[in-house]
Amino acid sequence: MRTVSLTSETDLAGWREAARGLLLAGVEPQGVRFRVGGQGGLFDALPPAHPGESRDPVLSEESGGGDWRSSEAPGAGAAKTLGPGVRRDERMEKVITVPRAFPDLAAEVALHRSEDRFDLLYRLLWRVQGERDLLKVVSDRDVADAMERAKNVSRASHKMKAFVRFRQTQDDAGDRWIAWFEPAHRVLEKTAPFFQRRFTTLRWTILTPDGTADWNGEALSFGPPATRDMAPQEDEVEEFWKTYYASTFNPARLKTRTMQGEMPKRYWANLPEASLIPELVARAEVREREMVAAPATPANPRLIRAVAPVVERAAQDAPPPETLEALERAVQGCRRCPLWRDATQGVCGRGPARADLMIVGEQPGDQEDLAGEPFVGPAGQVLNAAMSEAEVDRSHAFVTNAVKHFKHEPRGKRRIHQTPTTSEITACRWWLDAERAIVKPKLIVTLGATAAFGVLGRKVAVTKERGRPIALEDGSTALLTVHPSYLLRIPDKAAAAAERARFVEDLRAARELL
Ligand code: URA
Ligand code: SF4
């Protein structure tokens, strides 16, 4: 059995280097163990790969450094195949190729806290040489295992983004923000750039048992492991958090179980606001202005600027609201896309909390934005008339939009409607999905392309697919039709009447499906 010593817990480069050598030497996964630390070089007590050869013939023959080559990458075709996965490129250097998904998967798995993570990676590396599609076989034990570990790592990074709490300290250069955090996996280096982007203008340090990340306002650097007592314990920010939540949360609505699911106990110790309700975090952010004005809360704008992004993050991590009332409140704090900035308010769906029919429009228009209700303006009039003609009762339907904030451009005193982008629609699907989960409609009628995209999650040609029921993953059915505003824009009277009749036909078809 060979033992390979890596220089650190996250020494993926060292692993790659060694794995490449071992693979080229034909060392099977059962014959090698990767460990971290230990004395000596890369290989402890490494016998010659083949008798008579130098200590590590293959590594020395390697081109050195560099990444794996993806077998699907352009340029790999120029290499001459020597056997599955092992090639010589034009310079006659041995090159190992891996499936495109492998490097990313390896990068995640390497951060997992399990002891055998590098052994698993080598086993996978070995196997993909012969089984090029192995990573697609999710039922395979090694693949499933690696994917699970990668998922855990990704979740740990996600949690770190949401639950790191900085505490304010002073040093010679001024304010310094310090946080203590214990990530479930070794995600400090992977996640630190997120904080760099979020808190670019502050100087901060994140202390963890694995290492330290430090941003001095200009450069990110990493240092040795830290202990909890190196972090400040209580400060103004802590008080701020407590007051922030005390003043904005209604404890009667506390859902401890949901909360514990979102926020594992391991993080609680560092959260002054551990008793918060995630859905209300969003609400709290909206109240920021009131809060600054309120005498009971510390009106420190700098502090608010510093923590607001963290609140935002926590709100994004909250589970979807389970009632329409909670949803409507939470939408007001949504920052998933930039559309909230210029809108008066988020406009959610209206109708019974359980309805067999859901009608989805594009986004609130000018009047809806002011009224806070969907389809009350001109498009709403068209919709109402067509619905009554088709004998579909609007009061029994849940009427909503794919995007909850009004996207517009000022033109003089008027606000001109703008079509939301796919990324805005995608961001807002989170809310539409939440509405669907609550209302549980049997049939969803989508009005126009934005609504179809919001419901189906893919681009569709409405004119091609209209009127034909489409089965949805959740067991409901979608029926696509045009948007009533489109009817308003057809200049030719006869053509407009014909299109309107087709629209009414589609609504009739919807009624038939119920
Ligand atoms: N257009 C829509 O798509 N939705 C509304 O709520 C109003 C106009
Ligand atoms: Fe959030 Fe949707 Fe408003 Fe964008 S449009 S901010 S995703 S509610």
Side-chain angles (χ1 to χ4, degrees), residues 289-299:
R289 260 165 288 135
E290 302 158 37
M291 204 190 64
V292 175
T297 53

Side-chain angles (χ1 to χ4, degrees), residues 194-363:
F194 164 86
F195 293 98
Q196 180 187 336
R197 288 191 298 274
R198 283 276 158 142
F199 302 112
T200 312
T201 56
L202 304 175
R203 294 187 310 129
W204 54 257
T205 306
I206 302 174
L207 308 169
T208 81
D210 305 316
T212 307
D214 183 80
W215 171 251
N216 63 8
E218 281 164 10
L220 190 59
S221 58
F222 295 95
T227 51
R228 179 189 289 273
D229 56 303
M230 291 160 73
Q233 302 301 312
E234 277 273 339
D235 73 349
E236 190 193 356
V237 182
E238 186 122 346
E239 279 313 304
F240 167 85
W241 278 101
K242 285 181 187 156
T243 326
Y244 196 75
Y245 290 100
S247 65
T248 47
F249 285 168
N250 174 356
R253 319 186 70 189
L254 198 74
K255 286 200 206 115
T256 319
R257 292 260 300 289
T258 321
M259 236 175 53
Q260 286 184 355
E262 255 315 285
M263 247 189 249
K265 277 258 164 59
R266 54 183 295 119
Y267 301 115
W268 282 41
N270 301 314
L271 294 180
E273 79 290 15
S275 56
L276 64 84
I277 312 162
E279 167 250 316
L280 285 179
V281 180
R283 185 81 178 130
E285 195 189 354
V286 170
R287 291 219 191 141
E288 207 173 275
R289 260 165 288 135
E290 302 158 37
M291 204 190 64
V292 175
T297 53
N300 180 342
R302 190 192 52 204
L303 216 50
I304 290 163
R305 272 200 303 281
V307 295
V310 185
V311 179
E312 186 182 317
R313 189 65 228 173
Q316 293 202 4
D317 275 16
E322 286 167 14
T323 67
L324 292 174
E325 296 74 30
L327 187 139
E328 178 137 20
R329 269 197 311 276
V331 158
Q332 309 312 328
C334 180
R335 302 296 183 258
R336 285 168 193 274
C337 87
L339 293 185
W340 63 274
R341 282 177 211 275
D342 297 325
T344 309
Q345 59 192 314
V347 179
C348 294
R350 279 295 142 89
R354 278 289 339 268
D356 285 345
L357 174 63
M358 179 181 269
I359 296 182
V360 181
E362 183 192 72
Q363 58 163 344

Side-chain angles (χ1 to χ4, degrees), residues 347 361-365 368 373-377 379-380 400-401 447 483 485:
V347 179
E362 183 192 72
Q363 58 163 344
E368 288 81 9
E373 286 196 35
F375 284 106
V376 293
T400 190
N401 285 301
L447 311 176
H483 195 280
S485 305

Side-chain angles (χ1 to χ4, degrees), residues 16-339:
R16 195 164 49 207
E17 185 76 9
R20 180 192 277 135
L22 291 161
L23 189 65
L24 291 172
V27 178
E28 297 193 1
Q30 308 88 280
V32 61
R33 285 289 162 269
F34 291 86
R35 289 296 170 259
V36 173
Q39 265 90 58
L42 207 53
F43 293 85
D44 285 343
L46 178 71
H50 303 288
E53 281 187 357
S54 67
R55 189 173 140 89
D56 191 359
V58 190
L59 273 181
S60 54
E61 198 180 300
E62 260 282 58
S63 54
D67 272 334
W68 305 113
R69 303 227 177 143
S70 157
S71 56
E72 293 130 89
K80 187 172 149 228
T81 303
L82 292 178
V86 181
R87 298 152 176 245
R88 277 180 198 278
D89 68 10
E90 287 126 341
R91 289 165 299 165
M92 297 306 282
E93 286 166 338
K94 282 185 184 169
V95 174
I96 291 168
T97 62
V98 292
R100 196 186 290 274
F102 186 82
D104 285 347
L105 181 66
E108 297 278 279
V109 171
L111 305 182
H112 197 273
R113 283 203 196 276
S114 48
E115 273 241 318
D116 63 340
R117 62 199 178 283
F118 289 115
D119 299 334
L120 170 65
L121 285 179
Y122 184 61
R123 203 155 59 241
L124 274 179
L125 176 67
W126 175 271
R127 292 186 58 201
V128 295
Q129 302 309 310
E131 304 165 61
R132 300 310 278 178
D133 284 333
L134 179 65
L135 297 186
K136 294 181 188 136
V137 185
V138 291
S139 57
D140 181 272
R141 244 181 65 188
D142 287 338
V143 174
D145 190 359
M147 299 231 169
E148 180 65 23
R149 293 191 211 192
K151 200 170 84 191
N152 290 337
V153 165
S154 154
R155 192 173 295 145
S157 171
H158 200 57
K159 296 278 182 209
M160 182 166 181
K161 290 175 191 171
F163 298 131
V164 158
R165 293 290 179 270
F166 289 100
R167 286 160 181 175
Q168 190 178 25
T169 63
Q170 305 282 329
D171 62 18
D172 296 344
D175 290 342
R176 159 163 234 104
W177 299 79
I178 298 185
W180 165 252
F181 192 74
E182 294 169 75
H185 296 284
R186 298 186 180 93
V187 294
L188 177 68
E189 297 192 14
K190 169 185 163 73
T191 317
F194 164 86
F195 293 98
Q196 180 187 336
R197 288 191 298 274
R198 283 276 158 142
F199 302 112
T200 312
T201 56
L202 304 175
R203 294 187 310 129
W204 54 257
T205 306
I206 302 174
L207 308 169
T208 81
D210 305 316
T212 307
D214 183 80
W215 171 251
N216 63 8
E218 281 164 10
L220 190 59
S221 58
F222 295 95
T227 51
R228 179 189 289 273
D229 56 303
M230 291 160 73
Q233 302 301 312
E234 277 273 339
D235 73 349
E236 190 193 356
V237 182
E238 186 122 346
E239 279 313 304
F240 167 85
W241 278 101
K242 285 181 187 156
T243 326
Y244 196 75
Y245 290 100
S247 65
T248 47
F249 285 168
N250 174 356
R253 319 186 70 189
L254 198 74
K255 286 200 206 115
T256 319
R257 292 260 300 289
T258 321
M259 236 175 53
Q260 286 184 355
E262 255 315 285
M263 247 189 249
K265 277 258 164 59
R266 54 183 295 119
Y267 301 115
W268 282 41
N270 301 314
L271 294 180
E273 79 290 15
S275 56
L276 64 84
I277 312 162
E279 167 250 316
L280 285 179
V281 180
R283 185 81 178 130
E285 195 189 354
V286 170
R287 291 219 191 141
E288 207 173 275
R289 260 165 288 135
E290 302 158 37
M291 204 190 64
V292 175
T297 53
N300 180 342
R302 190 192 52 204
L303 216 50
I304 290 163
R305 272 200 303 281
V307 295
V310 185
V311 179
E312 186 182 317
R313 189 65 228 173
Q316 293 202 4
D317 275 16
E322 286 167 14
T323 67
L324 292 174
E325 296 74 30
L327 187 139
E328 178 137 20
R329 269 197 311 276
V331 158
Q332 309 312 328
C334 180
R335 302 296 183 258
R336 285 168 193 274
C337 87
L339 293 185

